[in-house]
Structures are given as C-alpha cells and as structure tokens.
Amino acid sequence: MQKFLHSQIFRTIKPQHFTAKSNFSSFSDNALDNCNVSNEVLAIINSARPIEPALAELSPLLNREIVISVLQSQAQLKKDPVICFRFFIWASETERFRSRVSNKLMVDMLLGSGKVKSLDLCWSVLDELRNEKMSISADAFAVLILGYWRLENAEKAVETFGRMNDYECKPNLFACNAILNVLVKKDVILLALAVYNMMLKSNIIMGCDTFNVLIDGLCKNGMTQAALNLFEEMTSRGIFPNSITYTVIISGLCKAKRTRDAYNLFNVMMNSGCKPDSATYNTLIDGFCKQGLIDEACILLKSFHSDGYDVGIGGFSCLIDGLVKANRIGEAEELFQKVVDVGLEPDVVLYTIMMSGFSLVGRMKDAMNMFRDMLGKGVIPDTQCYNVLIKGFCDLGLLDDAQSLKLEMSQHNQFPNTCTYTILICGFCRNGLVAEAQQIFNDMEKLGCSPSVVTFNALIDGLCKANKLEEARLMLYKMEVGKSPSLFLRLSQGADRILDTASLQKKVENMLDSGSILKAYQLLKKLADSGVVPDVQTYNTLIHGMCKAGHINIALKLLEELQLKGHSPDSVTYATLIDALQRVERDGDAYKLFEQMNTNGCKPSSSVYKTFMSWSFRKRKISVAISFWLKYLNDRDGMEDEALKPIEECFVNGDFEEAVRSLLEIDIKLADFDSALYNIWLTGLCQAKRAEVALKTFCILEEFNVTVSAPACVQLIRTLCFKGELNKAVDVFLYTMRKGYILSPRLSNSLVEALLKSKDKVIFALELLDRMKSTGYDLNSHLYQRTKSLLPHIYSLLKVDNAASR
C-alpha cells in the first residue's frame, strides 16, 4: 500500500480550484421570448398528435431553460405525465436540451401519485415511438430506472435497463449510472462490475460519479484492493477524484484495518487541493478508534480542529465509541460530559454508545439512569438502543428484565428485530435454558422475523452444549428448507460450472452480453437470498459438539458436507478434528487432515501445532513433537531460515537447553510471540520424566521473563518430587506463589507431606506453609487431615532437637 500511495498517479494529481458556477444561464432580456416559446410548446404537446413534427419547427428557438419551464408548467397544472414523457423523450435527443433538472422533474411527475401505474403506462409511449420508427433517447429509460428504484422495485429497474435493446437504444452514461446505483445498493456487485465492463467496451466516457458508485460497492463488499485498483484506473484516465471518492476509499481502508494507509490517502487528498468534509474527518477518526488507536485518534482530532474542522456530535461519538470498546469507560464518561458542557445535544446514537459502555462493565443501573435521562430530554430510543440494554441484562443473567424491555419497545413505536431475538437466545442458552431459547426462536418465526445465521449459530451452540446433538443437526438443515438449498449444487454441475467468484462473474458477464441482465440479477439475488446459509462457524460449532460427544465419524461427515456446500474449512475446523482424532488414537487420520489442510491452502494456526505437540508428548513421542515445533517455526513470518538451521541441529543432537535458549533470543522479539508453545515443551519434558532438562528449561524461561503457566508448574513439581528433588520442587512452588497461582490441594499436600517425612526437610515444610498462608491459601481447608496429623509430631521433634542443642 505504501508503494501504491507513492505511485505516479498520486504524485500527478494536481490541486483543483473550483468556482461557483450556475448550471444554467440567468434570465436575460429574452425572457419574454422564452415565455412565448414555452407557451407554444405547451399548446403543441397538449393538442398535436404526433407532437414531434411541430416541435421540430420550434427546435431552433428552444433551450434547456424552456424545456424545464414546460415540464414545470405541466407539473403545476397536473397534466398527464405520460404526455410529458413523450415530450421529454423528444427533448432528450438533443444535447443542448438535456439537464439534470429536467431529468428530476420527469421522475417526480411520473411518481406524483406514488404508484407504479404511471411508469407502466410509459411503456405504451415507447411502443408507439418504436412502431413509428422514431429514435428513443437512453435518458427515457434512465428516468424509468430511477422511478422504479424510488418505488423500491429494483427488479423492474433492472428489467428496464435490459429492455433498451428491444427499442434499438444503446445505454448512455445517465442510464448506466442509474442502473449501477441500483445494483450496488442491492448488493449485486458482480453484476455492477459486468455493467462497468460493458461501458468500457461501448466506449462510454465515464465521470467521477460512475467510479464513486463502483468504488463504494467494492469497499462495502470488503473488496478493498479491487477498489484501490479502480481508483488507480480512474486517475490514469485523467478523472480527478472528489471528496466522495476519497471518503469512500478511506472508509474501505479503515474497515480493512489499514488505518495508516487511510491516513496517507487523507494527506494525498489534502495535498491535491480536494477539501475534506465532516464525513471524511469522522470516517478517519472512527477508523482509528475501531482499531483501538484511541490516543492517535485524539491527536488527529486536535489537528483537524486546528485546521478549522468543527467537531460535531458525530466526531465525539466516534471517539467515545472507541473509548468504550477499549474499556476506558471513565474517560468516555468525561468526554460525554464535555459534549454536554459545550452545548452539544447528545443524540440517540451517542446515548446508545454510552449505555453500551455501562452494560459492558455490568453497570446496568447507570445504563438505565441514562436511558431515563434520554427519554426526559425527548430523545426517542430506537431498536438498537433497546438491544444494547437487553444484552446488558442478558449478560448479567437478568433474563426477566431483558424480556420486560423487549415488551416495552412497542411503547415507543419500536419493535424487536433479528438482533433482539438473537441476543435473547444467546442469553437463555448461556444460562442453560435451551428449551426457552427454542421457544423464542419459534416465536420470532411466527412474527415474521427471519433468523440470521448468527441466530442459528447461537441456538445450535446452545443445543450442542446441552448435549442435544440431534436437534442441533436438524437446525442445520432447517436453515435451508424452502430456500433453494440445491442452487449451489445445480450451478456447480455441467459444462459451464460455477465453482468460485471468478467463474460466477464470467457467467454474469456472458448473460449481460446476451441481453439477459434481468436473469443475471435474479440469479445473484437468489444466491444471496437462498436461505440463511450455514457458514463455517455453524459447522465448527456442530463439529465441536460431535467431537466432544465422541461422534468423530459424524464430525468428519460434517467436514465433507461443509466443503460440498462451497465453504472452506478454517484452522478452527481442522484443529477441532485433529484433537478429536488424536484423542481416540487415530494419529494417521490426524496427519492426513494436516496434509489436507496445507493442500487446501489453509495455513495451520498455532493451535493446530499446539494440538500435535501436546498429544505427541502425552504419547512419549518427543521427536514427533519437535518436528511439529520446527514446522511451526518454518511457517512463521519473521523467522529466517539461516537463523533456524543451528536451532534445528541442536534439537536433532539432543542439546535441548541450547536450542530453547537460541530460539527464545529470536522468538521473544517477534510480535506474535506465543509462550504457550514453551509451556507445552516444558510439560512434555515432564511427561517424559526428563526432570533435569525440564528444570533447565524452566530456568531459561525465568531468565527471559517468560511466564510459566500453572499447569506446567504442576507437572514440573510432580516430576521433581518423583525424582526426589524436593528442594527444587519447593523453588518452583514458591514461583507459583509469586505469580499468584493457587495450586490444587492434592499437589500441595503431596509436596508438604514429602517434606515433613524427610527429617532434613522439615524446616522447609514449615516455612512453605507459612508462605502459603501469607499468599492466600486457607490452610485449614486446603490441608488434608493426614497432613495435619503429621504437624504435632513434627513440632514435638523440633522441641527435642532444640533442647539437645542447648
């Protein structure tokens, strides 16, 4: 991205200097002439049939102001808009008569009744013109597309664009921009890109508006790099980006967690002379906050303020939201108070953010006080506001309060949505009330509220944890019932198979070229709406449940099903199955899955390597564990091959102490350093009864200030006790107390008893007990009765020894 931001296209963007300019010439001395001509035009379109010959005679006297005046007069007189539509078509054939104002007027006239009837009647006008062998401007279809879109009839808008060819009309920029807007808003970006490619083939000269719509669609679909490529293509064509272009890409970069690149682009924007607006500033601040870069966001805000940017409620809301997400609730409260003090009135968004912060830390009393304060100020809560409070009560297990709030929503003309029900289902499942969660699920369906994939995942997870595995599997299949579950399978068959996004986009482009844009649109919408499709998380939840219950073969079948449905298993999927296979001694199958994982392009996560290492150690296969650790090291970013070679040699030669020390010197400097692998290594050495090497490893970890986990300490203490190294076992136990670990009574009693029974270690036992008491151990409940029974005897022996020494 740095290379991209310093490429030639950014360096050649020249500062722009804009001046206010009217779209139309001002009324001059010929205003009376224009008025007379307008009256003549009105007389023609309201009486002559056909109107075109008579209008052609007046054409030399017409201009775009007269066209606008005619349409305005017809609108005021509430004349039949279909008659005006024919005049509009005639006027649109001439470049000097066209204007955005006349386009908008025509759409407004056709939608005057708010019904689709007028739009449908326009097709009879188009049919008449076709029968009369008259040419039809693409602007006529663009107006219909905009009209259908405003009536929320996207399919009819797409059909209109597709029917242009039936009237021997080729799309122009106006029509293409209109349909692109519809396609992007309906989230069918592949079809929008196909229209863009068609525009390129047709040599349609595009402007900034076209690229803005497409770049926005790509960013919202997470296709940030494609958006950047399109931005580069735009500038290479000599089209200067405006503030909307920059803001859209900055937003996309922020969503892709590329905030530094977003800031660099912001600076490019400033240097090019393109002035940011409040949306640009807030987008950048919000991006930094969502990345947890709160302090940097505050610095940005101060610099923006010094540049003359007036921080509005939106900017403050972004910052407060960032503070809440960073769990800096106190600072969020202070900033909220500053907002009030400077005279800004918090809106429902800001109140909701603050209530979310209180809810996250369990301060529901404060959240409800703010809710009541909001109501008192006349701010009406929305569904999202209620959802935040309902989640807060659910997180605390106060389910009755959560349900009461759901019922209260209707008092403010708000109603539960999918998110509301999902929150409640999660809350009930978390509290073990799975039957009640199922009832909530059934209720939401009866009320016409469609569950999302998150809703299904929540209920499936609850059913799995309640060991209702068969019901969980049925929920998986319920997700697709009646929603074209076989659509993907149908598309993946035959000669023209669709197996990925690239092949789907090719099919869409072919359909568009053949004039089947409506069919392409319907295909993409059917794919998008083909039910609440189970995602990888759905399958991971079920696979985990099956593995936990010991149904490994069913879990493996679910893996196959996941892949057949077009999903790619992730590292969580493989790690769960590998652990389950190792648990039932199916090591060979586990290794095959590991190979399949690499073949399928799924990079194994550290958890996969940890699983293999842990199980290899448990089965006393130290060499296998080492081989997986080395594979993990070779797979990591930042690990140089040359640096790893001597470490590998140390492992091979059995010089484990030097291997671990050399590895730590490199590893601890890396951003993704993971101490868990060293704890697994230490635990494994203990399981193999390699007490000396384990203790040296422990000392090295202490030297490098790497925290040794409580389970690893327990294993080391047991191994040292087994080897009779009680003094060293005590040292490790003292380490656990410094770390604040409270070890199990079984281990504690085992060590103390061993010390008490060894005459020369008695004093250590008593000192250890004193230390345990001072660090929070309740000795009365922690020590077994047999351990306590040794203590009086020990004290009497100590008295004898003390007397003898005198």
Side-chain angles (χ1 to χ4, degrees), residues 69-98:
S69 175
V70 169
L71 291 174
Q72 286 174 334
S73 296
Q74 290 290 93
Q76 288 168 1
L77 295 170
K78 297 185 178 179
K79 294 288 186 177
D80 184 358
V82 175
I83 295 173
C84 296
F85 183 59
R86 182 155 182 158
F87 167 69
F88 173 82
I89 294 172
W90 175 84
S92 298
E93 285 293 323
T94 305
E95 175 65 31
R96 64 190 177 90
F97 298 161
R98 296 177 193 156

Side-chain angles (χ1 to χ4, degrees), residues 625-645:
I626 291 172
S627 71
F628 274 105
W629 199 0
L630 292 173
K631 281 180 184 178
Y632 168 71
L633 295 172
N634 282 305
D635 212 22
R636 281 180 69 197
D637 297 329
M639 280 289 185
E640 300 291 336
D641 290 341
E642 291 301 317
L644 284 175
K645 280 182 181 178

